[in-house]
Amino acid sequence: MMLSRPVVAALLAAALFGASTPFAKQLVGQTSPFLLAGLLYLGSGVGLTLIRIVRDRSLQLPSMPAGEWWWWLAAVIFGGVLGPLLLMVGLAATTAATASMLLNLEAVLTAVLAWVVFKENADRRIVAGMVLIVAGGVLLSWSNASGGTDRWIGPAAIAGACLCWAIDNNLTRKVSAQDALFLAGSKGAVAGIINTTLGLAIGAAVPSWTQAAPAMLIGLLGYGVSLVLFVLALRGLGTARTGAYFSTAPFIGAAIAILCFGEHASTLFWLAAALMGAGVWLHLTERHEHEHTHEAMFHAHRHVHDEHHQHEHDFDWDGTEPHAHPHQHAPLTHTHLHFPDIHHRHGHP
């Protein structure tokens, strides 16, 4: 099965984020949840900003439409501030393997919001996969709660983080045509500064470099580079399907926690893994093809001159692809395999 570039981007994003969870777990207890979340995002923000300076030789803001800035600000608050904080609280009250598997709920909540609130299309195969992932999440929470009602705090906090990231994912889709490096870097910088400031304000000690450096490196790879790839996947797959591919992240995190850090995996854990694995397989094998019509559209993003980009240029062009500039799409009706990417947000009968 040949995987498209957006699918590969989504899977690589999942791999990096999934690996970050068990490694971040090793840092829990050394500093406050606020400060740890801040360091993770500072690593993302600082690292990606430096990469952007090298690439562009400047820090010029993108020409984003005014309305999209509000979508992006809300995405930063939910995904960059509230989500990481709840995850750190959850990691302090549960094992890294269980936490990693519970993070599959992000894909489910992302899809539900995409379908119900943002009216993105979903077929029965995707819905069935989500049901299996939810069932696996319920089993994980049940196994973690065997010691009393207080044992629900960890799963509940992680579920709250998943909800915040689901909102973030749907809001980020609104701006996914913009520069992915800017989107990920600015989120990391803002979220890192806010969470670090809050952590220090409530009395957390200033961390040493031996504490800060590992957290920032984990943040750069697991939050920063992962988010860049996630935004690229959003452009090509839409929110629900990107979330579905991204749901492979917890398996990677759980495998690392068990194989590298010696955590115990119960029978219920493996049953939950089987259910979630079956759900992800349904997502990976989905095919969506029908006749559809593209309405006239005017926007700007990096592109090549494929069947959806047959426009003329009003400037001297040296033939380099991909390139970015404002361009007009004429109405077009055709049939091919597709996902609800930035060019396929049509309705379905």
Side-chain angles (χ1 to χ4, degrees):
M1 177 176 61
M2 180 67 70
L3 299 181
S4 66
R5 288 185 178 180
V7 171
V8 172
L11 293 173
L12 288 175
L16 288 171
F17 182 72
S20 73
T21 301
F23 284 101
K25 170 69 175 178
Q26 308 309 307
L27 304 177
V28 172
Q30 298 180 23
T31 185
S32 75
F34 270 116
L35 192 55
L36 180 53
L39 291 173
L40 289 168
Y41 268 102
L42 273 180
S44 167
V46 172
L48 294 181
T49 299
L50 290 175
I51 294 172
R52 185 164 163 253
I53 290 174
V54 172
R55 185 195 67 179
D56 300 339
R57 298 183 181 180
S58 72
L59 278 177
Q60 183 178 357
L61 292 176
S63 56
M64 194 184 302
E68 292 189 5
W69 284 107
W70 291 108
W71 291 116
W72 185 236
L73 177 61
V76 170
I77 292 172
F78 280 100
V81 179
L82 299 178
L85 174 62
L86 287 170
L87 177 62
M88 295 306 108
V89 172
L91 284 175
T94 188
T95 66
T98 297
S100 294
M101 295 298 285
L102 281 170
L103 288 174
N104 259 317
L105 296 176
E106 179 187 343
V108 178
L109 296 172
T110 294
V112 170
L113 289 176
W115 300 333
V116 176
V117 179
F118 295 93
K119 308 303 180 184
E120 188 173 300
N121 171 258
D123 59 25
R124 287 177 293 180
R125 192 179 191 87
I126 292 293
V127 174
M130 291 300 180
V131 170
L132 291 175
I133 292 172
V134 169
V138 170
L139 278 182
L140 286 174
S141 297
W142 182 18
S143 65
N144 201 63
S146 59
T149 57
D150 61 323
R151 302 292 291 277
W152 284 94
I153 294 176
I158 294 170
C162 290
L163 176 60
C164 288
W165 281 322
I167 296 172
D168 169 27
N169 293 339
N170 280 278
L171 296 177
T172 300
R173 186 204 185 199
K174 295 285 189 179
V175 297
S176 61
Q178 302 299 326
D179 180 22
L181 200 57
F182 165 77
L183 296 179
S186 60
K187 174 187 283 187
V190 173
I193 291 171
I194 291 175
N195 280 310
T196 300
T197 301
L198 287 174
L200 295 175
I202 62 176
V206 176
S208 66
W209 274 110
T210 56
Q211 294 175 313
M216 294 179 71
L217 179 60
I218 292 170
L220 172 59
L221 298 175
Y223 286 59
V225 177
S226 176
L227 180 56
V228 171
L229 293 167
F230 189 88
V231 171
L232 295 177
L234 280 176
R235 292 179 191 169
L237 299 175
T239 313
R241 287 163 178 81
T242 299
Y245 287 111
F246 195 73
S247 63
T248 57
F251 295 102
I252 297 169
I256 291 174
I258 294 168
L259 298 176
C260 298
F261 298 111
E263 291 194 0
H264 173 69
S266 66
T267 302
L268 282 178
F269 175 89
W270 291 114
L271 178 58
L275 289 171
M276 290 180 168
V280 170
W281 176 81
L282 287 174
H283 297 155
L284 292 172
T285 54
E286 181 217 6
R287 294 175 62 86
H288 184 77
E289 181 176 7
H290 61 88
E291 183 178 88
H292 55 278
T293 297
H294 298 268
E295 302 295 338
M297 177 189 299
F298 183 79
H299 63 176
H301 65 93
R302 286 173 61 83
H303 61 277
V304 298
H305 285 203
D306 55 17
E307 61 181 322
H308 295 101
H309 296 89
Q310 297 297 323
H311 51 263
E312 299 295 329
H313 296 84
D314 57 3
F315 57 89
D316 290 334
W317 176 47
D318 62 5
T320 300
E321 292 184 335
H323 63 171
H325 62 87
H327 55 275
Q328 178 74 41
H329 290 271
L332 173 67
T333 298
H334 59 179
T335 300
H336 63 91
L337 284 170
H338 63 279
F339 297 103
D341 57 23
I342 60 176
H343 296 107
H344 294 89
R345 296 180 179 176
H346 49 263
H348 293 75

